[in-house]
Amino acid sequence: MSYAGPEFEPPRRPRRRPLTMALAALVPGALLGWVVYEGLGAVGDGDGGSESAAVRTPSATVSSATESSPTESSPADDEKPSPSPTTSSPSSAPAASGPLKDKVVVIDPGHNPANFQHTAEINRKVDIGTGYKECDTTGTSTNSGYTEAKFTLDVAHRMRTLLEKQGATVKLTQDGDRSYGPCIDERAEIGNEAHADAVVSVHADGSGTGNRGFHVILPGTVNSGAADTRPIVASSRDLGERIAGNFVRVTGSAPSNYVGDGTGLVTRKDLGGLNLSTVPKVFIECGNMRDTKDAAQLTSGTWRQKAAQGISDGIVSFLRA
């Protein structure tokens, strides 16, 4: 997502802190493995950039490709997403057996491919507890026009397939079956009403060139109006740390070089999707769509499968703990 949108304002620079012990304990060799991966000059890894790159640049705004209906050439076989059900229902039938039997996971694919056609609807203000923000945004895109909304839905489909194989019941907040949205408050409500054991909102960032890497956004402590995150802060951090560790391990991607001080973790209090959640929930920004090296990964079906696997492995680890 682009932080330029109303739901995604620039976060305050987080206080410097070491990589959490829980993340290190989860995958003790993950970050070390990435360093070796980087040193060997693997395809897709690149220059890290400085910490001062945390300041958002004008390129973080949504591109014109997001404002109009983008076209794409048909992907190669490895680019094609996992098949999705023909039903418009956002939920799946529970698997018969598996280690996650009786567990419910809600996947929230950020934005909606058709949001740009419904500006009046997505600009409607909704209550997020700490104030009011627009219902949704269009999201960002790569410079070539591959939209965040297409990316998030593709990764969500891949995650659903992986998690259902583990026996989980998987629900999506939207499956390309809505004309716009849902709004950020409804996205939170879907997870709450499902009594989800874990919710992950999938995004990709829209920062400046040279800003690279992923980060997981954790809910801060909020107790205001309709929002009370106090019961879920600790469990959400556990979920986020496990996802971050597994994302490094599976994708080989580095934590963000522009937010999070190298931890891959950022705490925020301004996102309605987190503020209004009553179940463990995190966001993940899988990379920066406006950086050419990150964009090369985000537009690769092979890499998106790895991203889905890393996020899913983190969810499985959390639910089996």
Side-chain angles (χ1 to χ4, degrees):
M1 62 181 156
S2 171
Y3 287 123
E7 162 68 354
F8 312 114
E9 296 170 354
R12 295 183 179 179
R13 183 175 179 80
R15 179 167 53 88
R16 292 188 64 87
R17 60 188 295 268
L19 187 65
T20 60
M21 294 183 64
L23 176 56
L26 175 64
V27 280
L31 294 179
L32 177 60
W34 172 81
V35 171
V36 174
Y37 183 86
E38 177 78 2
L40 291 175
V43 176
D45 283 334
D47 45 24
S50 65
E51 291 279 334
S52 62
V55 178
R56 297 284 173 171
T57 69
S59 64
T61 57
V62 177
S63 73
S64 58
T66 309
E67 302 292 333
S68 60
S69 180
T71 59
E72 287 188 76
S73 58
S74 298
D77 287 343
D78 74 327
E79 301 289 310
K80 294 178 181 177
S82 303
S84 59
T86 55
T87 176
S88 62
S89 171
S91 64
S92 69
S97 62
L100 298 188
K101 182 176 172 57
D102 300 326
K103 298 294 186 181
V104 176
V105 176
V106 170
I107 304 171
D108 178 28
H111 312 290
N112 184 310
N115 272 357
F116 74 97
Q117 295 175 323
H118 298 272
T119 54
E121 291 89 344
I122 68 171
N123 285 331
R124 176 175 63 85
K125 296 292 183 69
V126 298
D127 184 3
I128 67 166
T130 55
Y132 287 84
K133 283 193 174 181
E134 280 76 2
C135 157
D136 202 0
T137 68
T138 57
T140 188
S141 71
T142 65
N143 293 331
S144 63
Y146 180 63
T147 64
E148 180 183 3
K150 287 187 176 181
F151 168 82
T152 63
L153 195 56
D154 180 86
V155 172
H157 288 163
R158 296 170 189 269
M159 289 174 60
R160 176 169 61 189
T161 298
L162 292 167
L163 291 166
E164 286 180 341
K165 288 180 179 178
Q166 296 286 322
T169 297
V170 180
K171 300 176 182 289
L172 270 60
T173 58
Q174 59 93 10
D175 197 3
D177 53 353
R178 300 176 58 125
S179 57
Y180 69 91
C183 295
I184 53 180
D185 56 342
E186 184 183 351
R187 289 175 186 267
E189 184 180 2
I190 290 170
N192 297 343
E193 291 187 347
H195 302 289
D197 297 286
V199 183
V200 177
S201 189
V202 181
H203 288 268
D205 209 355
S207 186
T209 299
N211 291 347
R212 296 201 61 198
F214 78 93
H215 61 279
V216 177
I217 304 175
L218 314 173
T221 301
V222 174
N223 182 23
S224 176
D228 184 1
T229 63
R230 292 174 297 176
I232 66 162
V233 166
S235 57
S236 296
R237 172 167 286 274
D238 185 22
L239 171 63
E241 289 173 344
R242 291 173 186 271
I243 288 175
N246 280 280
F247 199 83
V248 169
R249 176 181 61 81
V250 177
T251 67
S253 295
S256 170
N257 65 8
Y258 58 100
V259 291
D261 289 328
T263 66
L265 302 172
V266 176
T267 299
R268 293 178 62 177
K269 300 180 180 181
D270 63 321
L271 299 180
L274 295 179
N275 288 358
L276 300 176
S277 182
T278 60
V279 294
K281 182 174 182 178
V282 299
F283 281 46
I284 181 167
E285 299 281 3
C286 295
N288 175 21
M289 296 195 110
R290 292 312 185 91
D291 178 84
T292 55
K293 293 180 179 178
D294 270 12
Q297 295 180 329
L298 297 166
T299 55
S300 163
T302 299
W303 189 89
R304 291 196 300 272
Q305 185 64 31
K306 292 180 180 179
Q309 186 73 61
I311 301 169
S312 298
D313 285 358
I315 296 171
V316 172
S317 174
F318 172 74
L319 295 179
R320 299 190 69 183

